[in-house]
């Protein structure tokens, strides 16, 4: 699983975090998106929110029957580049 940041961090507008929720089938039933004002949203806040978002979407996926793969262990919250 991966968390993606969209928007213009540190500028006017919005910033969003997006993470998929997988199932045991081939479909992708939903995507969870957090949208927040870009102005005043810090990198520290984005890192914390992305970790919480990934934790939540992994729990949702497990409830839907998804069995994590080995590559899921490599996924981490968003980090500033």
């Amino acid at each position: 699983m991966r968390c993606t940041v969209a928007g213009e961090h540190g500028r006017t507008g919005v910033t969003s975090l997006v993470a998929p929720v997988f199932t045991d089938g081939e479909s992708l039933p939903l995507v969870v998106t957090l949208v927040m004002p870009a102005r005043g949203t810090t990198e520290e806040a984005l890192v914390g929110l992305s970790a919480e978002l990934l934790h939540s979407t992994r729990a949702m996926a497990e409830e839907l029957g998804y069995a994590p793969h080995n590559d899921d262990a490599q996924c981490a919250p968003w980090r500033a580049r």
Side-chain angles (χ1 to χ4, degrees):
M1 286 185 200
R2 192 171 303 265
C3 188
T4 302
V5 177
E8 298 188 18
H9 175 69
R11 298 184 181 163
T12 59
V14 296
T15 296
S16 61
L17 294 171
V18 181
V21 177
F22 297 103
T23 66
D24 61 344
E26 293 183 23
S27 68
L28 179 64
L30 65 111
V31 175
V32 177
T33 304
L34 302 177
V35 179
M36 63 216 85
R39 184 175 294 193
T41 302
T42 65
E43 290 180 13
E44 182 178 282
L46 288 173
V47 169
L49 288 170
S50 68
E52 290 181 37
L53 178 59
L54 286 174
H55 177 75
S56 296
T57 55
R58 285 180 182 142
M60 289 177 199
E62 288 175 10
E63 286 290 321
L64 294 172
Y66 179 71
H69 301 284
N70 290 336
D71 61 339
D72 285 346
Q74 298 175 3
C75 295
W78 175 84
R79 290 192 178 99
R81 293 180 188 184

